Amino acid sequence: MEQNFSENSEYLLKIENLNMIFKIPTLKFDTLKERVVNFFKGKKNPAKKLQVLENINCEIKRGESLGVIGHNGAGKSTLLKIVAGIYRPTSGKVDLKGNVVLLNLGAGFDMEASAEENVYLNGAILGFSRKQMKKRFNSIIEFAELQDFVKMPLKNFSSGMISRLGFAIAIDIHPDLLLVDEVLSVGDTNFQKKCIEKINSMKESGVSFMFVSHNIAQVKKLCENTLWIENSKVKGYGPSEQICKEYIEYCNSIQKK
Amino acid sequence: MASIKQWTKNKNILHELIRKNVKTQYRNSVLGILWSVLNPLLNMLVMWVIFSQFFGRNDPLYPIYLLSGNIMFQFLRASTTMSMTSIVNNRGLITKVKIDQYLFPMSSTLSSLINFAFSLISLLAIMLCMQVFGGHSLYGYQILFVLLLLPAFLLFQYGISLFLSVLYVFFRDIKHLYNVFLTLWTYITPVFYKINSIDPNSIAYKVLKLNPMYYFLTYFRDSMYALCNANAGVPSWKILGLLYILGIISVAIGYLVYMSLKKKIINYV
């Protein structure tokens, strides 16, 4: 059923009028003691509303990729987490017709557990049984180049090694949509090259990407369209070539000031 | 269809979480699994020697009374304290992947089952020794009564675990409060004393009778007695029914708290 439906529809992801507001308490109370003491002192703890994303609209067609650019804190990572289903948007619609994997730094790993345990745990989270993951295990470890570190707890890994593992798992799962949040920047040059090649071949086989990066050249190369978010709003949305050019001009104009 | 898929997925995640919990627990000890048999065994021997001097000198079955009460309470203590911090400790996962948070206290509760199993084996070993020394016989199939009890006890513990783990996200100091509460709970549960040594008209007696743990301990002890004495009779089915009701109430409370605070968890871990 699901399969037929997704083939008929032309888009893989459609985001409509998406708003995300975080309610952040101005004082951080996380103990009972503080709550009680401040209650008797008459101190209130009003939640500060922070609009992280405002009226976002975009879509990704099957097989196409979307780049997401903007300055730090613009809301790019939050957008990806909403698409991945980790956060629930305050309002608006996220329509996703397929399965999705989010790749970010420290991609949902348990640092106390070994690489092997994390592969199986991650597999389970992504919906694969141990049996299914066993078949993939060797190719994952091989791609991540971690053959000598299978039994080592992840806390002893470098950030590059961790992101390699996350990337290797994600590509072996073959999702419909892969959300990539700046993970490529930590790997060494060889691994980056290997990843880009893999991403290209996955793109050819029909996997879509949503690609957050500060590497504008990479975004231009990989993505048909680009979404530029500035101060939680869409500043530009359209063909990558044009949006990236506008973004670079904007960055330069800020620097001059 | 979607819910069946989600269910198998969560079952797989639970499986992996338990595996991981158990592995990390034994990774840092040299004796590993062996230690988890020796530890309860040595503890029990100490308790046996010390407490038998003060209580129940006239009761040959007192060691079984004491040790069985103790391992049941220890099981509750271990699973709930481990579960309490489970959601917060897994913040690395919660903020990076989509995962149902109730799985963390569930996996911690189930992981404690392994330690309980080791304690139970130690208790049975001691009972076997007593058979040699005290002339009791040990029957086999009555161990099934323990298996009847376990699901109810796990439900009971899971309810408390879920409740505590969600609360801990918002109030980090309940860890200390719960420790104090556990000490109090141990003393109002007949672990080393007997309930018939208390005046039935006193308030203390009424408090003891309101304590759910009293009934769990009673059923567990009765099944242990049935194991070493054929004339001890079958543990009360009425109590077993009550235990399942207690288990379901506990889970219902935990679930209600979880559902009402679920959306807020991710902003506070």
Side-chain angles (χ1 to χ4, degrees):
Chain A
M1 274 301 283
E2 251 172 59
Q3 211 67 42
N4 287 338
F5 193 55
S6 56
E7 270 166 21
N8 291 338
S9 64
E10 55 172 328
Y11 60 86
L12 176 66
L13 172 75
K14 193 169 190 171
I15 296 174
E16 281 175 277
N17 306 321
L18 181 96
N19 284 290
M20 183 72 193
I21 298 168
F22 281 123
K23 282 185 201 141
I24 300 167
T26 36
L27 303 164
K28 200 173 185 255
F29 291 171
D30 58 4
T31 65
L32 198 58
K33 189 196 87 191
E34 283 171 321
R35 293 250 173 169
V36 173
V37 167
N38 286 304
F39 176 79
F40 284 112
K41 277 186 180 168
K43 248 194 219 173
K44 291 217 176 83
N45 187 17
K48 197 176 135 199
K49 281 187 180 174
L50 191 66
Q51 180 130 25
V52 194
L53 291 169
E54 199 177 328
N55 201 24
I56 307 287
N57 288 285
C58 66
E59 66 172 60
I60 300 177
K61 292 201 176 74
R62 210 157 259 280
E64 276 188 9
S65 295
L66 180 71
V68 183
I69 55 173
H71 287 102
N72 288 335
K76 305 181 298 288
S77 297
T78 309
L79 180 63
L80 255 58
K81 282 187 176 181
I82 291 172
V83 174
I86 297 165
Y87 290 139
R88 223 177 278 243
T90 313
S91 67
K93 229 173 90 181
V94 177
D95 196 1
L96 178 69
K97 300 204 158 79
N99 59 350
V100 61
V101 173
L102 170 65
L103 252 181
N104 49 19
L105 291 174
F109 287 134
D110 184 322
M111 293 299 153
E112 295 296 320
S114 70
E116 187 186 15
E117 283 151 31
N118 270 301
V119 168
Y120 289 119
L121 179 62
N122 249 266
I125 290 168
L126 298 170
F128 292 86
S129 70
R130 197 175 185 89
K131 219 170 160 187
Q132 288 167 310
M133 287 312 285
K134 258 190 186 139
K135 284 182 204 148
R136 297 158 188 267
F137 185 76
N138 284 336
S139 70
I140 289 173
I141 293 299
E142 204 175 302
F143 189 88
E145 298 163 21
L146 293 171
Q147 291 92 331
D148 301 333
F149 307 99
V150 172
K151 302 274 177 201
M152 198 193 263
L154 244 58
K155 61 181 172 192
N156 302 333
F157 278 33
S158 72
S159 56
M161 285 157 88
I162 292 172
S163 76
R164 254 151 57 190
L165 185 63
F167 190 82
I169 295 171
I171 56 154
D172 222 271
I173 299 292
H174 258 273
D176 297 305
L177 177 62
L178 186 56
L179 311 171
V180 185
D181 193 352
E182 306 192 51
V183 277
L184 296 184
S185 44
V186 271
D188 54 39
T189 327
N190 284 337
F191 192 75
Q192 269 190 35
K193 222 179 117 192
K194 201 163 128 185
C195 288
I196 300 289
E197 275 165 20
K198 189 75 198 175
I199 286 177
N200 281 328
S201 77
M202 281 172 85
K203 254 196 81 131
E204 272 163 34
S205 70
V207 178
S208 287
F209 288 85
M210 202 163 163
F211 199 70
V212 168
S213 182
H214 291 292
N215 187 335
I216 301 299
Q218 254 177 19
V219 171
K220 264 199 265 186
K221 220 190 280 172
L222 282 167
C223 307
E224 287 84 1
N225 293 310
T226 294
L227 178 71
W228 172 15
I229 304 178
E230 202 64 56
N231 291 327
S232 25
K233 293 190 200 83
V234 176
K235 180 106 179 174
Y237 175 47
S240 295
E241 200 63 45
Q242 183 197 334
I243 301 295
C244 289
K245 205 178 126 203
E246 286 174 21
Y247 177 68
I248 292 167
E249 279 166 12
Y250 176 80
C251 290
N252 289 339
S253 76
I254 282 180
Q255 262 177 354
K256 269 173 204 161
K257 276 176 198 167
Chain B
M1 268 312 278
S3 64
I4 294 175
K5 216 174 149 189
Q6 186 63 33
W7 192 81
T8 12
K9 183 175 160 181
N10 280 346
K11 203 194 72 192
N12 285 335
I13 297 175
L14 191 62
H15 184 91
E16 292 304 330
L17 286 175
I18 294 170
R19 256 185 119 99
K20 194 194 70 169
N21 280 347
V22 174
K23 269 194 186 170
T24 28
Q25 203 176 339
Y26 295 118
R27 181 172 289 143
N28 298 326
S29 71
V30 186
L31 287 173
I33 298 283
L34 184 65
W35 188 238
S36 49
V37 184
L38 278 178
N39 191 28
L41 195 65
L42 293 174
N43 266 323
M44 280 180 192
L45 287 173
V46 170
M47 281 193 86
W48 180 9
V49 170
I50 306 286
F51 276 92
S52 320
Q53 298 302 314
F54 299 109
F55 300 93
R57 275 194 210 176
N58 311 321
D59 181 4
L61 288 180
Y62 181 73
I64 297 173
Y65 180 88
L66 170 70
L67 299 179
S68 57
N70 191 48
I71 72 170
M72 281 293 271
F73 213 95
Q74 202 49 45
F75 186 16
L76 176 89
R77 179 189 293 272
S79 73
T80 50
T81 34
M82 189 173 153
S83 297
M84 179 160 43
T85 53
S86 63
I87 291 182
V88 171
N89 285 347
N90 281 295
R91 64 167 87 77
L93 276 173
I94 291 167
T95 55
K96 301 264 164 127
V97 291
K98 192 185 178 189
I99 187 166
D100 286 320
Q101 287 123 358
Y102 69 80
L103 291 169
F104 297 112
M106 197 184 263
S107 70
S108 300
T109 306
L110 290 172
S111 315
S112 319
L113 193 58
I114 291 176
N115 273 330
F116 174 72
F118 285 130
S119 306
L120 189 60
I121 291 168
S122 310
L123 177 61
L124 292 174
I126 289 181
M127 282 165 71
L128 265 175
C129 292
M130 283 178 61
Q131 182 191 13
V132 176
F133 300 122
H136 309 292
S137 48
L138 204 58
Y139 297 87
Y141 77 92
Q142 282 88 345
I143 195 79
L144 292 176
F145 291 124
V146 179
L147 297 183
L148 283 180
L149 158 85
L150 270 183
F153 197 33
L154 284 171
L155 283 176
F156 181 69
Q157 293 181 34
Y158 174 57
I160 298 173
S161 296
L162 188 58
F163 175 80
L164 286 174
S165 63
V166 172
L167 220 60
Y168 184 71
V169 173
F170 304 97
F171 307 114
R172 303 292 158 95
D173 52 353
I174 58 161
K175 202 175 178 178
H176 310 294
L177 286 176
Y178 185 63
N179 257 328
V180 176
F181 177 75
L182 268 177
T183 312
L184 176 71
W185 202 358
T186 321
Y187 286 115
I188 61 167
T189 307
V191 176
F192 54 84
Y193 58 87
K194 291 198 174 178
I195 195 159
N196 54 22
S197 63
I198 297 166
D199 173 19
N201 297 317
S202 64
I203 300 169
Y205 186 81
K206 278 165 195 143
V207 171
L208 284 181
K209 283 280 189 173
L210 281 175
N211 176 4
M213 279 306 276
Y214 165 64
Y215 299 96
F216 281 104
L217 259 61
T218 304
Y219 191 88
F220 183 66
R221 278 167 176 158
D222 286 348
S223 36
M224 284 296 139
Y225 286 153
L227 199 57
C228 48
N229 184 355
N231 301 324
V234 173
S236 154
W237 296 106
K238 228 173 166 178
I239 290 188
L240 189 65
L242 177 70
L243 298 185
Y244 274 89
I245 293 169
L246 286 170
I248 289 164
I249 292 173
S250 167
V251 169
I253 294 172
Y255 186 72
L256 279 177
V257 171
Y258 171 72
M259 287 311 276
S260 59
L261 292 168
K262 196 171 93 173
K263 286 182 193 163
K264 284 188 172 176
I265 290 175
I266 191 154
N267 295 329
Y268 283 85
V269 290

